[in-house]
């Protein structure tokens, strides 16, 4: 069966889809959550699945959490909630195949007691790739390298438009004007832009249905330095720029740094 499946369907390297999942471990369970995710779930619940070909975990220490805005966020309440985020790329055209597997394996993991319950999903969604904007044009790593290249920081930006038509206009403005201008001369190498897709009806009950299916865009800024280095000049005004365009409103700007796999580095800096 596997030999037959390998011979059919898309098998390119473009990140046609992503899983972006921001999670808050419950107070007192930070260490146990980190060990469970790194030692088991990152592999058994993600990377071992068909068509999920790249992944990376990121963390927001308390210092990074306090840089987030806006204070009243439609994504996280309070806006500091969600100190870990994991990002995964899925082969273009394989979202449906992957979802069938992920629903099945997560039911099995839950049944076998291999799901850490002391956590809250703050912002978890499968998303379709809409665009990637590069600072250096054709030079440098591509988006399919982004989760393997040793980027030093990630900024997650979530923007809501007023409706589907406005989202199309927002995407065009981001792709052709706003992001190229912001990236020029910056320490951000690229921005990937995604739109959320609804979770299946048979998803696990601890993951809430995705909001903003027709109106939301999720931007991932990949940085060559710690986001704290130039936060005020590079990222503090993203909401004002979007508001000035009249095309949407920023609901989250959140900086992260990469975790160090196999360690508990930063766990004691979350609160």
């Amino acid at each position: 069966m596997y030999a037959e499946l390998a011979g059919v369907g898309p098998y390119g390297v473009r990140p046609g889809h992503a899983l972006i999942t921001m999670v808050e471990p419950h107070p007192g369970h930070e260490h146990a959550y980190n060990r469970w995710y790194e030692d088991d779930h990152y592999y058994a619940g993600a990377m071992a699945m068909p068509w999920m070909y790249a992944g990376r975990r990121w963390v927001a220490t308390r210092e990074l959490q306090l840089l987030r805005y806006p204070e009243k966020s439609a994504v996280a309440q309070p806006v500091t909630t969600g100190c870990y985020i994991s990002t995964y790329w899925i082969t273009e055209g394989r979202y449906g195949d992957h979802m069938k597997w992920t629903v099945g394996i997560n039911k099995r993991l839950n049944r076998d007691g291999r799901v850490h319950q002391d956590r809250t999903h703050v912002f978890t969604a499968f998303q379709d790739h809409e665009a990637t904007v590069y600072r250096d044009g054709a030079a440098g790593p591509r988006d399919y390298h982004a989760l393997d290249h040793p980027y030093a920081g990630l900024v997650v930006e979530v923007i809501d438009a007023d409706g589907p038509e406005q989202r199309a206009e927002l995407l065009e403005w981001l792709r052709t004007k706003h992001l190229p201008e912001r990236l020029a001369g910056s320490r951000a190498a690229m921005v990937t832009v995604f739109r959320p897709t609804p979770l299946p009806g048979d998803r696990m009950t601890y993951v809430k249905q995705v909001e903003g299916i027709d109106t939301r865009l999720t931007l991932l800024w990949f940085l060559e330095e710690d986001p704290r280095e130039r936060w005020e000049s590079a990222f503090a005004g993203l909401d004002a720029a979007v508001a000035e365009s009249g095309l949407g409103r920023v609901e989250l700007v959140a900086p992260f740094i990469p975790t160090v796999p196999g360690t508990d580095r930063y766990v004691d800096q979350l609160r």
Side-chain angles (χ1 to χ4, degrees):
M1 179 178 67
Y2 286 111
E4 294 174 3
L5 289 173
V8 298
Y11 68 123
V13 300
R14 290 191 66 249
H17 322 274
L19 170 59
I20 302 169
T21 173
M22 187 167 74
V23 172
E24 178 74 6
H26 296 170
H29 297 270
E30 296 88 353
H31 179 273
Y33 168 78
N34 189 56
R35 290 275 43 86
W36 163 76
Y37 202 102
E38 288 209 337
D39 296 345
D40 190 10
H41 200 63
Y42 178 82
Y43 303 103
M47 293 303 296
M49 297 192 205
W51 307 113
M52 182 171 271
Y53 68 90
R56 197 166 192 191
R57 291 187 75 218
W58 313 80
V59 61
T61 63
R62 187 61 181 170
E63 183 181 4
L64 288 164
Q65 294 166 34
L66 293 174
L67 295 176
R68 294 181 183 182
Y69 64 91
E71 184 179 354
K72 294 183 178 179
S73 167
V75 175
Q77 302 89 32
V79 71
T80 52
T81 307
C83 54
Y84 284 103
I85 195 166
S86 297
T87 51
Y88 302 96
W89 291 166
I90 299 168
T91 301
E92 185 175 32
R94 291 295 191 174
Y95 173 73
D97 296 336
H98 175 80
M99 283 306 301
K100 292 175 184 176
W101 187 286
T102 194
V103 169
I105 198 65
N106 277 286
K107 286 182 177 179
R108 180 182 180 186
L109 290 169
N110 197 56
R111 185 178 65 243
D112 292 347
R114 287 174 63 182
V115 174
H116 186 90
Q117 302 294 344
D118 294 303
R119 78 201 199 280
T120 298
H121 280 268
V122 179
F123 179 65
T124 293
F126 285 89
Q127 313 218 14
D128 287 343
H129 180 258
E130 286 285 2
T132 300
V133 181
Y134 297 100
R135 180 193 60 201
D136 302 326
R142 302 292 87 189
D143 51 15
Y144 44 84
H145 300 127
L147 302 184
D148 296 308
H149 187 80
Y151 286 115
L154 175 76
V155 173
V156 180
E157 180 182 7
V158 180
I159 309 176
D160 283 345
D162 290 333
E165 292 183 5
Q166 289 83 355
R167 183 171 70 175
E169 294 180 47
L170 172 64
L171 176 63
E172 183 64 12
W173 174 75
L174 289 169
R175 188 179 62 82
T176 62
K177 181 174 173 55
H178 178 64
L179 294 179
E181 291 177 357
R182 283 277 181 165
L183 285 170
S186 78
R187 296 293 288 163
M190 73 177 82
V191 181
T192 58
V193 185
F194 293 89
R195 59 177 173 84
T197 60
L199 289 169
D202 55 353
R203 69 189 185 281
M204 301 310 296
T205 56
Y206 49 78
V207 182
K208 65 180 180 180
Q209 187 52 272
V210 177
E211 300 172 346
I213 297 299
D214 297 321
T215 57
R216 180 164 286 178
L217 292 174
T218 305
L219 285 63
L220 303 179
W221 300 69
F222 291 92
L223 313 184
E224 296 170 331
E225 65 182 8
D226 188 303
R228 289 166 285 200
E229 292 294 326
R230 282 172 245 258
W231 183 255
E232 288 299 321
S233 60
F235 293 103
L238 293 180
D239 54 344
V242 173
E244 186 177 337
S245 75
L247 298 173
R249 61 193 178 279
V250 168
E251 293 292 355
L252 181 68
V253 177
F256 294 85
I257 54 177
T259 62
V260 181
T263 76
D264 291 314
R265 189 176 298 181
Y266 309 119
V267 171
D268 62 349
Q269 301 176 41
L270 301 178
R271 308 300 182 198

